[in-house]
Amino acid sequence: MRRFHPSNRGPQQLFILRFLGLILLVLLTLFGFLWGGFALWYQLPFGVAGNIGCLILWAAAGFAVLWLEFKGRPRRALIVLIPLMIGLGYWWSTITPSLNRIWAEDVAQTVTGTLNGNYVTLSNVRNFEWRTPADFTPRWEVRTYDLQDLASVDVFLSYWSNPAIAHTLVSFGFNNGDHVVFSAEIRKERHEQFSEIGGFFKEFELAMIAADERDIVRLRTNIRKEDVYRYRINLKPETRQALFLSYLNNANQLATTAKFYNTITANCTSVIFDMVRAITPDIPLDYRIVLSGYLPGYLYDLGAIDRQRPLVEVIKSALINQRALDADNDPDFSAKIRVEN
């Protein structure tokens, strides 16, 4: 039998292999320079003009590599491409999260807590009085909760533009009527604005915020005019307590060890999913964890929310905006947004 050897390939086979290799190299080049361009834009410290200048040089290098590839000189292209990508990767690895920046006031503090028997004491619970998004009275409080009185868990989903994307908040309710909301949020600096693309490129740190519902829910319904939905989560008492303590542990870790926010892997919903999965490992991974706007369907399929009615009716009745507007600054805000239609 004749042995196969690369030299036995016909001219047509070699042409196809070289063509496919060129296509793969071009795609890798495009991806590398596109990713690198975003990374440079979001992380270079030279201001708009300086960053644009650096991006022009970066784009010129990218076009030079592509020109060599299309001219049939892949080895020369690789001589340029490989060092550039190694340098980019090394520079990227030096960008680390921080706990010490000039933070926006609403995330200037992050929650921490201690456990003493059944009692949890939380420090830096946010209870701002919001008049507009830019006009508010800041208040950071210390509050104590008895885990034996933990009676409910609600998920709030807040939509501001894209129906596929929502901010996820988890509220723990107690028998005495108290509620405390945990929210994994981007920790913006004072000059920063949220960017979903920037969230892929180490633009923001991750913060755990605990807040009163009249602060964090009312901010979204009454001040920002976002659409907010509330879903009661069906959990056993021991699971409710375990989830609360998971939040406590996560908050304490983030208060001492900085971590970057990531639009996909470390966001407001994925953080919750990781904690819940640590308690109940059998819950399935699902695309609706990433596209959090569709989270109600996922919770419905799991039986974690009301399944006595069709999903569309559950979602419709979950909208709390009018009730929140009616309650406004009422001390019974939490009770009034839970009044069933």
Side-chain angles (χ1 to χ4, degrees), residues 32 35-36 39-40 58 81-95 202:
W35 186 93
L40 293 170
W58 181 254
L81 179 64
I82 291 174
L84 282 174
M85 291 300 123
I86 290 175
L88 179 70
Y90 174 76
W91 166 74
W92 187 250
S93 71
T94 65
I95 302 172
K202 299 183 179 181

Side-chain angles (χ1 to χ4, degrees), residues 111-123 125 142-148 150 174 180 182 241 244-249 251-252:
V111 64
T112 58
T114 58
L115 176 64
N116 184 12
N118 292 322
Y119 291 91
V120 173
T121 299
L122 299 180
S123 299
V125 177
V142 176
R143 297 186 178 186
T144 298
Y145 303 94
D146 184 352
L147 288 179
Q148 293 295 100
L150 180 55
F174 296 82
V180 61
F182 286 94
Q241 292 185 17
F244 190 100
L245 292 176
S246 291
Y247 266 105
L248 180 66
N249 181 60
N252 286 338

Side-chain angles (χ1 to χ4, degrees), residues 3-211:
R3 292 185 177 179
F4 176 80
H5 189 272
S7 62
N8 294 331
R9 294 187 179 121
Q12 186 176 9
Q13 289 176 303
L14 289 173
F15 173 79
I16 292 173
L17 288 174
R18 287 174 180 170
F19 179 75
L20 292 176
L22 176 62
I23 293 298
L24 178 60
L25 182 58
V26 168
L27 290 175
L28 289 174
T29 300
L30 288 171
F31 175 79
F33 277 95
L34 182 62
W35 186 93
F38 278 110
L40 293 170
W41 175 254
Y42 282 104
Q43 290 300 329
L44 287 178
F46 305 130
V48 174
N51 288 0
I52 290 175
C54 290
L55 284 177
I56 291 172
L57 293 175
W58 181 254
F63 282 119
V65 172
L66 289 170
W67 182 83
L68 289 170
E69 291 170 356
F70 283 115
K71 284 293 183 178
R73 300 173 184 174
R75 291 183 181 179
R76 292 187 182 182
L78 288 171
I79 289 173
V80 179
L81 179 64
I82 291 174
L84 282 174
M85 291 300 123
I86 290 175
L88 179 70
Y90 174 76
W91 166 74
W92 187 250
S93 71
T94 65
I95 302 172
T96 55
S98 173
L99 294 173
N100 301 305
R101 303 190 194 277
I102 302 175
W103 305 113
E105 195 148 11
D106 60 327
V107 289
Q109 308 293 335
T110 62
V111 64
T112 58
T114 58
L115 176 64
N116 184 12
N118 292 322
Y119 291 91
V120 173
T121 299
L122 299 180
S123 299
N124 297 323
V125 177
R126 203 180 76 192
N127 188 21
F128 283 22
E129 181 183 342
W130 297 92
R131 290 173 288 274
T132 72
D135 180 18
F136 51 84
T137 302
R139 288 192 296 261
W140 299 95
E141 301 175 349
V142 176
R143 297 186 178 186
T144 298
Y145 303 94
D146 184 352
L147 288 179
Q148 293 295 100
D149 288 336
L150 180 55
S152 65
V153 175
D154 293 321
V155 165
F156 289 87
L157 293 176
S158 183
Y159 299 78
W160 60 94
S161 60
N162 190 333
I165 303 298
H167 185 74
T168 308
L169 309 99
V170 175
S171 178
F172 293 88
F174 296 82
N175 287 324
N176 63 358
D178 287 344
H179 291 83
V180 61
V181 181
F182 286 94
S183 176
E185 303 202 357
I186 62 168
R187 199 173 193 190
K188 305 185 302 292
E189 296 178 65
R190 285 187 183 174
H191 66 277
E192 289 180 322
Q193 297 293 326
F194 174 67
S195 165
E196 292 175 356
I197 297 175
F200 288 104
F201 294 96
K202 299 183 179 181
E203 177 76 352
F204 312 107
E205 277 79 7
L206 181 67
M208 185 63 71
I209 300 297

